[in-house]
Amino acid sequence: MPLLKMTDKRKALLLLFIVAALFVKAQDVRPDTLVIGGVTVIRDNRPLEQEPKKGFLKSLHSKKRVRKATTEWGMIDIGMSSFVDNTNYEGAGAQAYAPASNNQWFKTRGFKSRNINIWIVTQRYSLINSYVNFQYGLGLELNNYFYKQPVRYDANPPAVQDPPVVSMDPRGLTTPPERVYKKNKLAADYVTVPLMLNFNFTPDRLYPFELSAGVSVGYLYASRNKTITSDEGKLKAKDAFGLSPWKLSYVADVTLGVIALYGSYAFKSMYQRGLDMTPYTFGIRLRPADLINKVESR
């Protein structure tokens, strides 16, 4: 009887060792090995760890290297062009430039009158630890003013002092109209150099918060009045039309992460005589090179 009890104890102890060995085996994460024809095959039993999925853009907390000077190419502004009309249409100057004109002649189609700026190159130089910077560049400023009324600019005005330049097309005012205007715009294009102070509140961030303000100097290199009518088709009259050759403007822009907005307001009228119209622009800025830097690499 004592022998039997001893045997039961041994069986119980053996069973305990087997259970302990199985538990340890279950916890062992070392790879299994198998030898086949002298070749050792290692099988890793650990579960596969999936790499975290990458987004299209880098994290909002990403940082960048701070440089003393930076250069950016190919920025594009897309927005609206308009003007503040302070013309005295009863005055002799306005009537000489546009006989019989009134404050309805030069009303524009707001959402069609557009501004496109192509900034060939812009540079930024740090003045105070990249928090305060001097910013400058070179670009083309393209403004299109679409008129509601059938006004026309004369590219060959009579050779007299202060000749008339703008007239109303009577054939576009009859009821029903003899001539339907599909398009009537004045285009004024400038070569522009902005000079600005930039305040970057997060200079080491890939998604910055920054503000720039200053002035721009523009030179008028092309202007034209383009019309498309039902009977004449497309016509272009190219001339300066009494526009001022220089355009000085206050300019500003703000960047909030991936969004950049801009605006400008001229010092004075864009016409040398007759009309007192101060142009302004506003819109959104696209920065292709900056966007590429924010794209997550695969």
Side-chain angles (χ1 to χ4, degrees):
M1 193 65 179
L3 182 58
L4 180 59
K5 289 183 179 180
M6 189 59 133
T7 302
D8 291 341
K9 288 181 179 180
R10 287 180 177 178
K11 289 181 178 180
L13 187 59
L14 179 61
L15 181 60
L16 180 62
F17 279 133
I18 292 173
V19 172
L22 290 176
F23 178 78
V24 171
K25 181 65 176 177
Q27 300 299 316
D28 189 3
V29 295
R30 291 177 300 174
D32 295 339
T33 59
L34 181 65
V35 179
I36 302 177
V39 178
T40 302
V41 179
I42 301 177
R43 185 180 66 184
D44 195 343
N45 293 325
R46 292 176 297 181
L48 295 176
E49 296 182 359
Q50 294 183 350
E51 294 184 1
K53 293 183 178 180
K54 295 182 178 180
F56 176 70
L57 297 178
K58 295 179 181 178
S59 167
L60 292 176
H61 302 290
S62 300
K63 294 189 176 183
K64 65 178 182 180
R65 181 181 176 184
V66 178
R67 300 176 182 272
K68 185 72 172 179
T70 58
T71 302
E72 190 168 354
W73 300 85
M75 290 194 307
I76 299 175
D77 295 342
I78 300 177
M80 297 178 62
S81 289
S82 190
F83 49 78
V84 176
D85 189 357
N86 293 316
T87 304
N88 176 14
Y89 286 97
E90 296 179 356
Q95 291 304 309
Y97 184 86
S101 61
N102 56 50
N103 59 5
Q104 297 301 313
W105 274 37
F106 298 94
K107 294 292 185 181
T108 60
R109 301 181 184 277
F111 289 101
K112 295 194 68 175
S113 297
R114 58 185 177 269
N115 164 244
I116 296 177
N117 302 323
I118 303 172
W119 300 109
I120 301 170
V121 61
T122 57
Q123 287 190 324
R124 182 181 297 178
Y125 185 82
S126 173
L127 299 178
I128 305 176
N129 297 327
S130 294
Y131 286 97
V132 180
N133 310 279
F134 179 53
Q135 184 171 299
Y136 49 92
L138 175 67
L140 303 178
E141 179 185 349
L142 314 177
N143 299 287
N144 292 274
Y145 305 98
F146 283 77
Y147 295 120
K148 295 180 179 179
Q149 301 294 336
V151 294
R152 292 204 172 190
Y153 287 74
D154 188 356
N156 298 293
V160 297
Q161 185 177 1
D162 296 335
V165 175
V166 180
S167 61
M168 182 70 71
D169 181 9
R171 295 186 61 183
L173 293 175
T174 58
T175 304
E178 299 179 25
R179 176 176 293 152
V180 177
Y181 277 74
K182 300 178 182 179
K183 178 181 289 187
N184 184 17
K185 75 171 185 177
L186 173 68
D189 304 333
Y190 302 83
V191 176
T192 301
V193 175
L195 304 171
M196 311 172 73
L197 275 181
N198 167 266
F199 301 91
N200 191 341
F201 303 99
T202 55
D204 62 336
R205 293 285 184 175
L206 187 61
Y207 297 87
F209 171 41
E210 54 186 318
L211 173 69
S212 302
V215 298
S216 69
V217 181
Y219 178 76
L220 182 72
Y221 72 89
S223 54
R224 60 203 171 276
N225 177 215
K226 179 179 179 181
T227 59
I228 300 178
T229 61
S230 56
D231 59 326
E232 297 174 312
K234 184 188 299 184
L235 294 176
K236 285 185 180 180
K238 298 181 180 181
D239 192 62
F241 304 125
L243 293 169
S244 175
W246 295 99
K247 180 182 180 183
L248 302 178
S249 302
Y250 301 104
V251 291
D253 62 65
V254 60
T255 300
L256 302 172
V258 295
I259 300 175
L261 305 175
Y262 76 93
S264 72
Y265 190 88
F267 284 19
K268 60 180 183 179
S269 174
M270 61 183 179
Y271 290 90
Q272 289 182 302
R273 68 179 184 91
L275 304 180
D276 185 1
M277 297 177 177
T278 305
Y280 63 88
T281 65
F282 61 90
I284 188 169
R285 175 162 293 165
L286 306 178
R287 303 171 63 184
D290 184 67
L291 180 60
I292 292 174
N293 291 334
K294 291 181 171 65
V295 174
E296 185 72 74
S297 59
R298 297 295 176 178

